[in-house]
Each structure stands twice: as C-alpha cells, then as structure tokens.
Amino acid sequence: MKNNIKDLTVNNLSLNFGSNTIIDNISFELEKSEILALVGPSGSGKTSLIRCITGLEDPDKGQVIISDSTVFSDTINIPIEKRDIGIVFQDFALFPHMTVTENISYGIKNDKDSKTLSQVSSLTDLMLMCGIYHLRDRYPDELSGGEQQRVALARSLAPKPKILLMDEPFSNLDPGFRMQLRMEVRRILKYLNITCLFVTHDQQEALYMGDRILVLNEGKIQQIDSNTNVFQNPQNEFVAEFIGLADFLDGKVLNNHAETEIGKVEIKTKAKNGESVNIMIRPDDVHINKTKKGNGFVVSREYRGMYYIYNIKLNSGKLVKSLSSHINDYNVGTKVDVELKPGHPLICFKDKVII
C-alpha cells in the first residue's frame, strides 16, 4: 500500500479459553483504504479475532488501535458502540419493523455528530450507489437475500465508520449471485476509500476481495501478503494447500533444477545440489495425454465446465491433480502419460517450510 496511514493496528493479541489458546500472539496492521481478507478454515480463530477487535470479546493481552485511538490494552477497554466500527454480518441483522430507509438511517440518528460519508451527499445517493433506492419503502421480509445484504452494507456505511468489518457477508447467498454481489461491493468500497477487514472461509473470495490476505490457522498467522504472493509464493505447505489446489512431489536438486518422477523442472530454491526437497505443483503445471503405456491413470475427475480437474495416480502410488481442457474427456481408469510442464520455476519446501 502507498499511504502508510494505519486505520487498524493489532499488537501481540492473545485469547485463551481455559488451557486452550484461541488467538496466539497476533500482530498486523490495516492501512487506510485497504481491504484485508482474513481467511482460514473452521476453528482457525477468525471469529474470535474479529470479536476481540470489535469489543465483543476481551483478549487476555495485547493492544487494538483504531486510527490513532487505543480501544483495547492492559488499561483500556472501549465498548463496542464507541469503537467506530461498521459491521456487516452474514445474517444481515436488519430491523424487520423498519423500512429500507429507516434501517439505513438508524445509525445516523443515534450518532450525535450526524456524520455522513464525505463522498456521499445524502442517503439517497448512498442507496443509489448500493442499487437499492427503488426498494427504499420496503421492509426486509419483502427483499431477496442479495437486496438485504445491500441494505446491510449501506446501513454500515452511513455513519462513516473508521473501519468496516464484513463477517462472511455472502455465505448465505446463491453462488451465482454471490459472485455478482462481491464485484459490486468491492467496487463500492474502493470508490468510497473504505478501510475493510473482510472475513471469509472461501479462498477464491479472499483472492478476489483482498488487496492483501491474512491466512489464519490454529490461532496463528500463517502468512500475510498480497493475494498474488500468497498464491504464488506460499510460506508453508498449509498456505499452499489452503489457497488453491496444490500437490507435492519429491525431487532432488541439481543446478537450479530438480528431478521428479514425472520430469525435470526448473525450481526457485536455496537448496544445495543433491538435496531432497518437496516441490509444489498446481493442477495447471501437470499435463496428461491418453496412452496405452502411461506412467499414471485417472482415479477420478471433476467437470468444471470449461475444464476438468483429473486426479491421477502415478506408478509410484503418488496422487496428483491435472487441469485439462473440457475437450479431453478421459474416463476413470484411463492410462495417461503425466508430465510436468509449468512454464515457470516452481517453489520448494523442506520440513513444510518454503526454502
């Protein structure tokens, strides 16, 4: 990011439930106008972390700073309603007895400063931007799920919070509409220069929404980086497998290359000649062709419309995935030649850490 203004700073945050460590000494920063996607599997600590940031949970130690104001420390604990955080939940949380307009204006009416978005002159403009002006007199039970989520977004933006926290906001929506809405939401956030912590368990959603991605597992940050670096240069095997599809092949290093059971490939590594490494491969790195005498066979396949993801069992017994065009229709049991053709150097791991 370019501006170096921090809208959220989390320092050495920890949370324990009895003898269980839920959040383990986490530190990170969120810059002004940045969208940070927080992603991790169920039980990784995502919900506990955002509850600590919002004030719904009291950490055991650490510090939370919003803009230049400390809202939690050893001596400070500002209540949730005074932390200046906008929250969009997955269940929308709209008031059923209020119209769209009343729901959106509710936060402003209860704000003594009557703050409004500097880029939006009125609630009308905000509703137009969110595509819900024509729904202004309707009640929540008269709206679709996507329309309700737009209303929830507008309501959270109306008081101009310092940061916006979106907690899996699209998880209750149909897949097709989910893709459309996240495009619209990202456009709105960027147009209004909103600083946002976007929580999701969906890796593809994190890659799309985040300027950066924070990967969390077992209460610890596994990697925090740009979306491209998290995908292309994962710091450990957990990140590699969680963000996208990945397999690992044994290889032996020789002059910036490695020999594997399905071919020699260029690698990016600090490993010495003769050293054994695990090479990360993605499905598009693995090419297959039907043949009577192959070094693998099709175990299963997933049809994805424009392409197939084939699960291939090599002669060694190792399983790898291969992405192939939809015109290559190979049945389960088909013998195939399997070859590494990534077209770029691959990264290597040792003891599950990148080298």
Side-chain angles (χ1 to χ4, degrees), residues 137 186 207 211 218 238-239 260:
D137 296 323
R186 195 178 199 283
L207 288 168
D211 299 315
E218 296 182 346
F238 173 82
V239 176
T260 77

Side-chain angles (χ1 to χ4, degrees), residues 9 11 62-78 82-83 162:
T9 302
N11 290 324
Q63 187 181 43
V64 178
I65 303 170
I66 296 177
S67 292
D68 56 354
S69 300
T70 299
V71 298
F72 179 83
S73 69
D74 291 341
T75 58
I76 297 172
N77 193 356
I78 304 299
K82 295 184 178 180
R83 292 197 180 191
K162 290 179 180 176

Side-chain angles (χ1 to χ4, degrees), residues 79-137:
I80 181 173
E81 66 272 12
K82 295 184 178 180
R83 292 197 180 191
D84 215 351
I85 297 176
I87 306 175
V88 180
F89 296 104
Q90 59 182 320
D91 59 357
F92 317 133
L94 300 177
F95 296 112
H97 61 288
M98 293 184 181
T99 65
V100 167
T101 300
E102 290 168 341
N103 263 285
I104 296 172
S105 60
Y106 179 82
I108 297 176
K109 290 177 181 177
N110 286 276
D111 184 349
K112 294 179 181 179
D113 298 329
S114 296
K115 295 183 293 183
T116 56
L117 288 164
S118 58
Q119 298 93 337
V120 180
S121 60
S122 66
L123 288 179
T124 297
D125 291 335
L126 182 57
M127 286 189 283
L128 285 169
M129 182 179 298
C130 292
I132 52 175
Y133 179 73
H134 64 294
L135 307 171
R136 60 192 180 279
D137 296 323

